């Protein structure tokens, strides 16, 4: 575009330049600034004048051009008129043709309208057909949902319903049928949920019916694992350190492990498909939480049906107890498997809650029925079933701590029943014993008695001659057998699932103490009231052997102690009781012997007023022996002591026998001295002194025959008194201190003086 003219005075040049514009746009663009300039400078007239001048110049140029070309211009005008006439004619023809075309177009428009209308009708028919087909497909799918539901293809029915709702209903959403079917979808979903729940309830019922068999199979598998573990322990001592369900045992048993939920051998196949299907369908329906709640409530109701209101523990083979434990085990195994095979359907807290509830109910039920059982064998069977149950459920990672208190009660009951039964046995053994040394006829009997008794023979087996006798009576080996049986039966209760070893040790010790103290020792001590020294001696011998047996038992209990936390030796109170009983028996023997000695000495009816001893003194029996004439009482006394020492008391231990001999000799000597020292004796005649001296000599002779040098020392006082009484110079010798110490040192000075006074009075009587 040419540049604008900056000079405001040269309007002619500006007009000239404006007229040279190539287009109207340029013309206007250049004219506008000029107009603005003249407007503000009041030069509009000059601009108009410039324009008029320019127009006059242009008209002069045109006129000049026309004058020089006039003829050509006329010819051109004529040609132009001719052309114009032809153009008019053509226009008329075009108008006619246009009218003709317009008529044809109107006819064509009518036909096209008809065609459009026909096509519309056809499209409507097609649309209607498609709509009907779509609606029919929707109806077919709706019917298919119910058909699949009838065939129990619940998940397929749910998928078809989902496809119907999310795909096909959208295609017919503008039709009423879509609204109707859409409204029926929740009801259909509910039908599917109810149908799958019905199938699940059927499955749960079958599972509950199969729970007992499942528990029975699980118990059998635990027993097989026990057998395999024992076999491994027998073959390798390393395995003895590990219990059932320990990590080592589980690893060692991997190759033999059997899936009891799917075992062709046991004809068990627990199919969880109904549960998975039901869970998946409810999760698809957005009802997972509702399903979890309903499922949990159903399982709780089924759990309550497992525990009956009462239980009979006296049935053979523990059928009632086994059935309850198997039901609980099967139910819990299904719960654990459900928790492991589903995603958070059953939480560990839910499963443990049901398990704790079942355990509490079972423990309460069994505990309430324990009072009906009074057989140790039945209690052991009950314990075996419960222990098997506990080991089985520990394998499934269930806590069995709630059964610990029951096992403890069961053990206390078992120990009490055993103690009562063995108490009756001990009392019968003690009451029926003959209290005679046990006679053995052959080596077989000897070996049998030695093997069951706590007894160490003093004589070698090769030196024995049969028949022979044991020092104890028959009751001792019989009691030893019962003690061993009691120990064995108490330890039978201990196994991998009764780990209260300290309870076993304490109960065993206390029960054994009670049996030995109350039923054996007390019974033997009660029989010490017997008046037969031979029986007392045998009781003493038995008590001594029981005391020895208690020491051996303490060592045995210490070695067999289960509790690793216990320290120190095992001390049986029965040891002290038997020791006290033995001491009482010794005292009783001494009492009986001394009592007999007293009775015999009391028969010495010396007539202290006679001057010389007649053939019979006041009815006193006289016996003529090698040493002269002796009183009857001293002969009887010597015979009694001889019989006692060589027959009745021969079964005593040598030390005790020697002690008893010594005590009897001392007591007899004291009693003989008492005859003349007694304040009731006022005088001693020569005849009485001679008779007393002969009786003492007869007694001393008997003591010397015992060949026990220590005994002679116990008779020194008696012999010195006799020597004092029979000496002619007794008074002078006795009152001379040196002589008295040399010849009568054992005689009490006061008693010696009194005896000499009595001799003096006897001489005065003569």
């Amino acid at each position: 575009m040419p540049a604008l003219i900056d000079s405001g005075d040269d309007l002619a040049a500006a007009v000239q330049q404006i007229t040279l514009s190539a287009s109207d746009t340029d013309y206007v663009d250049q004219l506008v600034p000029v107009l603005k300039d003249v407007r503000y400078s009041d030069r509009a007239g000059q601009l108009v004048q410039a324009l008029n001048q320019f127009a006059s110049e242009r008209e002069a140029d045109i006129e000049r051009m026309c004058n020089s070309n006039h003829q050509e211009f006329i010819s051109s005008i004529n040609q132009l008129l001719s052309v114009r006439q032809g153009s008019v004619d053509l226009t008329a023809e075009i108008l006619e043709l246009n009218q003709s075309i317009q008529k044809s177009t109107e006819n064509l428009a009518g036909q096209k309208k008809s065609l459009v209308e026909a096509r519309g009708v056809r499209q409507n028919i097609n649309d209607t057909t498609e709509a009907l087909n779509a609606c029919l497909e929707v109806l077919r799918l709706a019917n298919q949902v119910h058909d699949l539901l009838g065939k129990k293809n619940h998940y397929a029915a749910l998928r078809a319903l989902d496809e119907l709702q999310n795909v096909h209903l959208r295609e017919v959403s503008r039709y009423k049928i879509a609204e109707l079917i859409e409204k029926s979808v929740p009801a259909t979903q509910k039908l599917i949920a109810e149908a799958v729940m019905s199938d699940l309830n059927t499955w749960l019922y079958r599972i509950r019916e199969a729970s007992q068999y499942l528990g029975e199979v699980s118990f059998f598998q635990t027993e097989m694992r026990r057998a395999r573990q024992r076999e491994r322990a027998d073959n390798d001592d390393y395995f003895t350190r590990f219990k059932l369900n320990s990590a080592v045992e589980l690893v060692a048993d991997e190759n033999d492990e059997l899936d009891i939920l799917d075992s062709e051998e046991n004809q068990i196949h627990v199919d969880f498909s109904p549960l998975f299907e039901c869970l998946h369908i409810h999760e698809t329906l957005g009802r997972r939480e509702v399903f979890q709640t309903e499922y949990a409530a159903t399982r709780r109701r089924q759990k309550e049906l497992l525990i009956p209101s009462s239980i009979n523990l006296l049935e053979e083979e523990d059928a009632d107890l086994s059935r309850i434990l198997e039901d609980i085990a099967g139910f819990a195994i299904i719960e654990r498997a459900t928790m492991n095979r589903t995603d958070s359907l059953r939480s560990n807290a839910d499963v443990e809650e049901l398990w704790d509830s079942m355990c509490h109910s079972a423990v309460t039920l069994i505990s309430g029925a324990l009072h009906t059982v009074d057989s140790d064998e039945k209690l052991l069977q009950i314990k075996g079933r419960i222990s098997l149950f506990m080991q089985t459920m520990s394998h499934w990672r269930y806590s069995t701590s709630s059964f610990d208190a029951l096992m403890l009660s069961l053990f206390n009951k078992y120990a009490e029943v055993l103690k009562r039964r063995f108490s009756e046995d001990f009392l019968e053994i003690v009451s029926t014993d003959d209290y005679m040394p046990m006679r053995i006829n052959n080596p077989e009997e000897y070996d049998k008695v030695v093997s069951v008794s706590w007894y160490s023979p003093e004589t070698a087996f090769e030196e024995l001659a049969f028949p022979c006798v044991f020092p104890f009576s028959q009751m001792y080996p019989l009691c030893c057998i019962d003690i061993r049986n009691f120990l064995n039966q108490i330890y039978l209760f201990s196994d991998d699932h009764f780990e209260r070893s300290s309870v076993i040790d304490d109960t065993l010790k206390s029960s054994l103490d009670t049996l030995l103290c109350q039923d054996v020792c007390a019974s033997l001590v009660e029989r010490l009231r017997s008046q037969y020294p031979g029986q007392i001696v045998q009781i003493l011998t038995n008590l001594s052997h029981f005391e020895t047996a208690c020491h051996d038992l303490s060592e045995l209990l210490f070695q067999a102690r289960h509790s690793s936390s216990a320290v120190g030796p095992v001390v049986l109170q029965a040891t002290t009781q038997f020791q006290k009983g033995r001491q009482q028996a010794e005292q009783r023997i001494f009492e009986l012997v001394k009592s007999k000695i007293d009775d015999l000495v009391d028969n010495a009816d010396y007539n202290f007023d006679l001057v010389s001893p007649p053939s019979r003194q006041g009815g006193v029996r006289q016996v003529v022996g090698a040493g002269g004439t002796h009183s009857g009482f001293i002969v009887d006394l010597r015979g009694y002591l001889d019989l006692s020492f060589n027959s009745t008391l021969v079964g005593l231990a040598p030390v005790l026998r020697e002690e008893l001999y010594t005590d009897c000799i001392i007591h007899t000597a004291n009693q003989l001295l008492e005859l003349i020292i007694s304040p009731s004796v006022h005088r001693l005649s020569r005849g009485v002194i001679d008779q007393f001296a002969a009786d003492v000599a007869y007694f001393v002779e008997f003591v010397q025959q015992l060949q026990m040098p220590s005994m002679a020392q116990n008779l020194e006082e008696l012999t010195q008194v006799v020597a004092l009484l029979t000496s002619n110079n007794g008074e002078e010798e006795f009152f001379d201190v040196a002589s008295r110490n040399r010849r009568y040192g054992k005689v009490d000075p006061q008693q010696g003086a009194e005896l000499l006074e009595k001799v003096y009075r006897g001489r005065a009587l003569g």
Side-chain angles (χ1 to χ4, degrees):
M1 181 180 66
L4 295 178
I5 298 176
D6 298 330
S7 176
D9 298 329
D10 195 359
L11 293 177
V15 171
Q16 181 65 32
Q17 189 174 354
I18 290 171
T19 56
L20 295 177
S21 299
S23 63
D24 294 340
T25 303
D26 290 340
Y27 176 83
V28 173
D29 289 339
Q30 295 197 38
L31 179 62
V32 170
V34 174
L35 291 176
K36 289 182 179 180
D37 184 55
V38 300
R39 176 183 177 186
Y40 292 112
S41 59
D42 296 330
R43 294 171 61 193
Q46 294 178 4
L47 177 60
V48 173
Q49 183 179 356
L51 289 173
N52 289 332
Q53 183 180 354
F54 181 76
S56 298
E57 291 177 356
R58 289 299 178 184
E59 287 178 358
D61 290 340
I62 292 170
E63 184 177 358
R64 187 172 54 254
M65 290 176 63
C66 289
N67 290 331
S68 60
N69 296 296
H70 179 72
Q71 188 63 37
E72 290 83 358
F73 180 74
I74 295 297
S75 298
S76 298
I77 292 296
N78 291 332
Q79 291 177 356
L80 184 59
L81 290 174
S82 177
V83 170
R84 183 175 180 277
Q85 182 63 40
S87 178
V88 172
D89 295 338
L90 288 173
T91 301
E93 292 178 1
I94 291 172
L95 291 175
E96 291 177 359
L97 180 61
N98 183 43
Q99 291 177 354
S100 176
I101 292 173
Q102 187 174 1
K103 290 181 180 179
S104 299
T105 301
E106 290 177 357
N107 293 333
L108 182 61
Q111 294 177 358
K112 184 176 181 180
K113 182 179 180 181
S114 299
L115 179 60
V116 169
E117 291 178 354
R119 287 180 176 178
V121 172
R122 182 178 179 181
Q123 184 64 38
N124 290 337
I125 294 174
N126 291 337
D127 291 343
T128 302
T129 302
E130 291 178 0
L132 288 174
N133 290 333
C135 292
L136 289 174
E137 180 66 16
V138 168
L139 288 175
R140 184 188 68 79
L141 289 175
N143 291 331
Q144 184 182 13
V145 170
H146 289 277
D147 291 341
L148 291 172
L149 191 59
K151 295 177 181 179
K152 297 188 179 300
N153 294 331
H154 305 114
Y155 184 66
L158 186 63
R159 290 290 300 273
L161 183 62
D162 182 67
E163 181 182 358
L164 174 65
Q165 182 181 16
N166 295 322
V167 178
H168 297 281
L169 282 184
R170 292 182 179 179
E171 297 176 358
V172 294
S173 58
R174 58 186 180 277
Y175 305 120
K176 186 68 175 179
I177 191 173
E179 182 181 354
L180 295 175
I181 294 179
E182 183 70 30
K183 290 181 179 179
S184 69
V185 167
T188 306
Q189 289 177 340
K190 184 178 180 181
L191 286 176
I192 295 175
E194 291 176 352
V196 76
M197 279 301 296
S198 177
D199 285 356
L200 180 65
N201 290 333
T202 302
W203 178 78
L204 287 173
Y205 175 77
R206 292 174 181 172
I207 288 297
R208 185 174 68 83
E209 291 296 315
S211 292
Q212 182 182 351
Y213 181 63
L214 185 61
E216 181 181 350
V217 172
S218 66
F219 288 179
F220 176 76
Q221 291 301 320
T222 302
E223 290 178 345
M224 294 298 99
R225 290 173 54 221
R226 281 179 173 178
R228 290 193 292 269
Q229 180 66 6
R230 284 194 297 268
E231 183 179 355
R232 284 190 289 267
D234 293 339
N235 296 332
D236 188 349
D237 292 339
Y238 174 76
F239 288 97
T240 59
R241 295 180 292 175
F242 303 102
K243 299 179 180 180
L244 205 68
N245 294 322
S246 64
V248 172
E249 186 273 332
L250 292 175
V251 171
D253 204 57
E254 281 182 343
N255 294 332
D256 299 310
E257 189 175 3
L258 179 68
D259 185 4
I260 64 171
L261 295 174
D262 188 8
S263 171
E264 294 182 1
E265 178 182 351
N266 297 305
Q267 298 181 352
I268 291 181
H269 177 66
V270 180
D271 185 10
F272 286 87
S273 299
L275 176 62
F276 297 153
E277 182 183 26
C278 190
L279 175 62
H280 184 64
I281 287 176
H282 280 81
E283 188 170 7
T284 304
L285 294 175
R287 294 168 51 87
R288 180 186 179 91
E289 294 183 358
V290 176
F291 171 68
Q292 283 184 266
T293 303
E294 293 179 356
Y295 184 83
T298 302
R299 292 301 279 171
R300 280 194 296 270
R301 289 193 297 269
Q302 287 188 331
K303 178 265 299 183
E304 293 172 357
L305 296 175
L306 292 179
I307 309 299
S309 58
S310 62
I311 184 174
N312 184 5
L313 296 179
L314 301 179
E315 288 186 348
E316 295 184 2
E317 303 298 330
D318 301 317
D320 213 1
L321 175 63
S322 297
R323 183 169 55 254
I324 293 174
L325 296 179
E326 288 166 359
D327 279 338
I328 294 175
F331 185 92
I333 289 173
I334 292 295
E335 281 293 288
R336 182 68 73 189
T338 302
M339 187 186 74
N340 294 335
R341 300 187 184 199
T342 58
D343 182 17
S344 69
L345 171 63
R346 301 290 287 157
S347 67
N348 189 65
D350 294 335
V351 174
E352 292 296 337
E353 179 185 1
L354 286 181
W355 167 251
D356 292 340
S357 176
M358 289 189 295
C359 289
H360 176 74
S361 300
V363 168
T364 302
L365 186 65
I366 297 172
S367 300
L370 274 182
H371 69 279
T372 62
V373 184
D374 57 0
S375 168
D376 57 287
E377 294 182 358
K378 176 59 69 175
L379 288 170
L380 204 58
Q381 290 177 3
I382 295 172
K383 173 259 172 188
R385 298 305 296 175
I386 296 177
S387 176
L388 181 63
F389 168 78
M390 295 173 70
Q391 288 179 327
T392 300
M393 301 320 295
S394 293
H395 178 68
W396 286 89
R397 302 187 304 281
Y398 280 107
S399 171
T400 58
S401 58
S402 56
F403 279 85
D404 289 343
L406 174 61
M407 291 293 280
L408 183 59
S409 300
L410 200 60
F411 174 71
N412 291 333
K413 176 78 172 180
Y414 176 74
E416 188 64 30
V417 171
L418 276 182
K419 188 166 66 174
R420 184 168 61 249
R421 178 166 68 84
F422 279 94
S423 174
E424 295 172 356
D425 292 345
F426 283 134
L427 291 176
E428 183 179 359
I429 291 172
V430 173
S431 62
T432 58
D433 190 50
D434 57 4
Y435 294 98
M436 296 291 291
M438 187 176 181
R439 181 183 176 88
I440 300 298
N441 297 316
N442 52 63
E444 289 76 16
E445 292 182 4
Y446 182 89
D447 288 338
K448 185 177 181 180
V449 172
V450 172
S451 65
V452 300
S453 305
W454 285 278
Y455 173 65
S456 299
E458 298 178 356
T459 305
F461 181 77
E462 295 77 10
E463 300 176 4
L464 292 174
F466 295 94
C468 63
V469 293
F470 282 111
F472 45 77
S473 63
Q474 188 176 4
M475 68 158 291
Y476 178 68
L478 291 178
C479 287
C480 288
I481 293 174
D482 267 10
I483 291 172
R484 293 182 186 274
N485 289 337
F486 181 76
L487 295 177
N488 292 333
Q489 293 195 36
I490 285 290
Y491 283 129
L492 280 177
F493 202 92
S494 176
D495 63 5
D496 290 348
H497 250 286
F498 188 73
E499 299 177 353
R500 297 176 179 267
S501 53
S502 60
V503 174
I504 293 180
D505 294 334
D506 295 342
T507 302
L508 178 58
K509 177 182 175 297
S510 62
S511 299
L512 196 57
D513 258 337
T514 301
L515 290 172
L516 292 176
C517 293
Q518 296 182 3
D519 300 323
V520 179
C521 185
S523 299
L524 291 175
V525 171
E526 184 179 0
R527 278 171 168 71
L528 292 178
R529 292 180 297 180
S530 172
Q531 299 297 322
Y532 301 100
Q535 185 176 2
I536 304 300
V537 170
Q538 189 60 62
I539 292 175
L540 172 61
T541 303
N542 291 348
L543 287 169
S544 299
H545 281 87
F546 275 115
E547 183 181 353
T548 303
C550 285
H551 289 289
D552 294 338
L553 269 175
S554 297
E555 182 64 24
L556 178 63
L557 293 177
F558 176 77
Q559 295 176 357
R561 179 183 286 170
H562 282 61
S563 176
S564 58
S565 61
V567 295
V570 176
V571 180
L572 289 174
Q573 297 299 323
T575 307
T576 305
Q577 293 299 318
F578 280 115
Q579 183 180 10
K580 292 180 179 178
R582 175 175 56 80
Q583 294 172 353
Q584 292 180 17
E586 293 173 359
Q587 294 175 1
R588 180 59 177 164
I589 292 174
F590 291 173
E591 290 175 0
L592 287 177
V593 174
K594 290 178 181 179
S595 176
K596 185 63 175 178
I597 291 173
D598 292 344
D599 291 342
L600 292 173
V601 173
D602 286 344
N603 291 331
D605 192 10
Y606 289 115
N607 190 347
F608 295 99
D609 294 330
L610 294 179
V611 177
S612 60
S615 59
R616 297 188 62 83
Q617 296 183 7
V620 177
R621 181 166 55 89
Q622 299 287 316
V623 178
V624 179
T629 303
H630 313 297
S631 300
F633 88 90
I634 199 66
V635 175
D636 292 340
L637 178 60
R638 176 174 174 173
Y640 170 73
L641 293 176
D642 184 59
L643 177 64
S644 297
F645 292 165
N646 295 302
S647 177
T648 306
L649 305 178
V650 72
L652 293 176
V655 175
L656 180 61
R657 188 166 61 247
E658 183 176 354
E659 181 181 351
L660 179 60
Y661 287 177
T662 302
D663 194 67
C664 289
I665 297 303
I666 294 175
H667 183 71
T668 303
N670 293 334
Q671 290 301 102
L672 290 175
L673 281 175
E674 186 65 25
L675 289 175
I676 57 176
I677 294 176
S678 173
S680 61
V681 177
H682 299 287
R683 62 182 63 84
L684 292 174
S685 65
R686 189 65 189 179
V688 171
I689 293 174
D690 292 341
Q691 184 63 56
F692 182 75
D695 292 342
V696 170
Y698 188 66
F699 176 67
V700 172
E701 177 187 1
F702 165 71
V703 174
Q704 291 174 348
Q705 290 177 358
L706 296 177
Q707 298 182 354
M708 299 176 65
S710 60
M711 292 293 183
Q713 300 176 359
N714 299 318
L715 297 177
E716 288 182 356
E717 182 180 6
L718 179 61
T719 55
Q720 289 180 10
V721 168
V722 173
L724 175 64
L725 294 178
T726 57
S727 176
N728 294 325
N729 299 320
E731 295 180 1
E732 296 178 1
E733 295 173 345
F734 185 78
F735 289 111
D736 183 1
V737 176
S739 177
R740 184 180 64 196
N741 292 335
R742 183 176 67 253
R743 298 191 60 184
Y744 310 112
K746 296 294 184 181
V747 179
D748 182 81
Q750 182 177 354
Q751 290 181 354
E754 292 177 355
L755 287 173
L756 290 174
E757 179 66 22
K758 293 178 181 181
V759 172
Y760 175 77
R761 291 174 185 170
R763 291 174 184 173
L765 181 64

